[in-house]
Amino acid sequence: MGCKYSKFVGACCCNLQYNGSVLEAPDNDEKGEADDLPKFQEYSFEQLRLATSGFSVDNIVSEHGEKAPNVVYKGKLENHRRVAVKRFNRMAWPDSRQFMEEAKAVGQLRNHRLANLLGCCCEGDERLLVAEFMPNDTLAKHLFHWESLPMKWAMRLRVVLHLAQALEYCTSKGRALYHDLNAYRIVFDDEGNPRLSCFGMMKNSRDGKSYSTNLAFTPPEYLRTGRVTPESVIYSFGTLLLDLLSGKHIPPSHALDLIRDRNLQMLTDSCLEGQFSDNDGTELVRLASRCLQYEPRERPNPKSLVTALTPLQKETEVPSHVLMGIPYGATFTPLSPLAEACSRMDLTAVHEILENTGYKDDEGIANELSFQMWTNQMQDTLNSKKKGDVAYRHKEFKAAIECYTQFLEAATMVSPTVCARRSVCYLLSDMPQEALSDAAQAQVISPVWPTASYLQAAAFFALGMENEAQVALKEGSALEAKKIAASSK
């Protein structure tokens, strides 16, 4: 049986039948391979624990938070590559071989429309996936929970085209299935371009459900069989078209009622008024209607989606980060004297600022160190730190490095400020790689400390790694902004 609104839907879709005479969109495979990414690899649990600062709650980036069965963390590997780490529930994949096979298969995909899978971890009961980190939130955040400006029509069209291209690529590589495609699965990269998260290529567990518990958005055939098919993915694509058109998460049945009654004004986001023509809106509604057909065989395939969406694109010369209002490149507004000094590579000022700050940023560690002064075995170690501080104050950087090294090698508790001070000493001694290592270590100890990010930026500048330095500056700025906001409450 066809869709109960098949008469209207059929009329809507009459212009969306494709044949060989239609100009095809460029082959996504030809220009889409992400050749600059490393090959898929296996990581140890210890590597990922360190990368996420011990799976710190401060590094959780998934919307469902730490109580979700599978949690996503941001992290930074030893080579300073930023990653997203998905940690599964311990009982999610009891068969380690099946997990590895699935992960390796997904890990062969490499495309600029995907947040690609870089590796995995399978140790004991632990099952983790490692993917490219996308710093600019999810489509759900930008579409449903925006704070300043709603997403522009041109950007919404770009999102669905990029998503269709991602699905076309995956289908061409034999990976047509995607589990629970929704607005949380679309993420934005450094340049503000939308990408499809690779995490949805795998189920949340070996035997787990492929869709969320909200049955209103579930493909009808999945309710009958419990199986995901390529056509099920297209149905979910249709629900995303409705999300982007309406700015709300409208159940497909309700949307089809509005379409049947030709009440498109109720279906359209009021924030988009004046941004698109009636024809453009009608075309998107027609495409959504085809994707939401009751019978799976009546839905379009990814290639025809790309063909339909390509001519609808607007403002194609405008970069995504501009359409999204996302800072990009060298755009950086220092919030503090330290941030400004690191951005200018004014190491004399950096040294002076950290000297004046003292150990106030250690957040309790300094107090524990002062308590340890009462124990004899710690006295010599703490004397090394004191000598290092004196040498630091007098700009005797070689001596400070030596004393701080003695302290760090012997201490039972590591101070992030000692790491930071030694990092500055290394910078002033023309040892940027060692400085970067210390700044990164300070961030591991204290993930939300802006100083650690700023010093990493200075080290990256010294190494000639301009892009990485700008990213570190922006990360420090974001942490500092959060700290200022928290203190003002």
Side-chain angles (χ1 to χ4, degrees), residues 238-357:
T239 67
L240 275 167
L241 286 174
L242 295 178
D243 289 348
L244 286 154
L245 185 63
S246 66
K248 298 182 286 290
H249 201 33
I250 297 179
S253 60
H254 179 54
L256 288 171
D257 282 338
L258 295 173
I259 293 170
R260 179 195 61 184
D261 297 334
R262 288 177 164 76
N263 193 354
L264 299 188
Q265 187 175 0
M266 289 290 292
L267 187 61
T268 306
D269 192 341
S270 59
C271 296
L272 296 174
E273 188 173 353
Q275 292 189 33
F276 64 93
S277 67
D278 290 343
N279 287 340
D280 284 351
T282 302
E283 285 299 310
L284 211 62
V285 169
R286 286 174 174 170
L287 192 57
S289 300
R290 285 195 68 201
C291 293
L292 296 171
Q293 288 281 347
Y294 184 86
E295 288 294 341
R297 66 176 179 272
E298 296 177 6
R299 300 170 196 157
N301 58 37
K303 195 174 187 67
S304 64
L305 290 175
V306 173
T307 303
L309 290 164
T310 299
L312 296 179
Q313 299 303 302
K314 311 293 181 186
E315 301 184 52
T316 54
E317 300 302 315
V318 181
S320 294
H321 66 87
V322 174
L323 288 176
M324 295 283 288
I326 295 172
Y328 175 67
T331 304
F332 167 70
T333 304
L335 299 179
S336 66
L338 178 62
E340 186 176 0
C342 288
S343 68
R344 291 186 289 106
M345 275 298 284
D346 185 347
L347 298 181
T348 301
V350 171
H351 169 269
E352 183 178 343
I353 290 166
L354 282 193
E355 169 60 23
N356 292 336
T357 303

Side-chain angles (χ1 to χ4, degrees), residues 84-116:
V85 180
K86 181 173 183 177
R87 189 181 189 184
F88 285 92
N89 178 290
R90 285 181 176 272
M91 299 308 295
W93 290 87
D95 187 336
S96 59
R97 186 174 66 176
Q98 187 181 27
F99 175 80
M100 288 296 298
E101 288 175 354
E102 278 285 298
K104 286 180 178 178
V106 175
Q108 299 310 304
L109 302 175
R110 286 289 182 270
N111 191 267
H112 69 320
R113 296 293 186 241
L114 298 175
N116 295 278

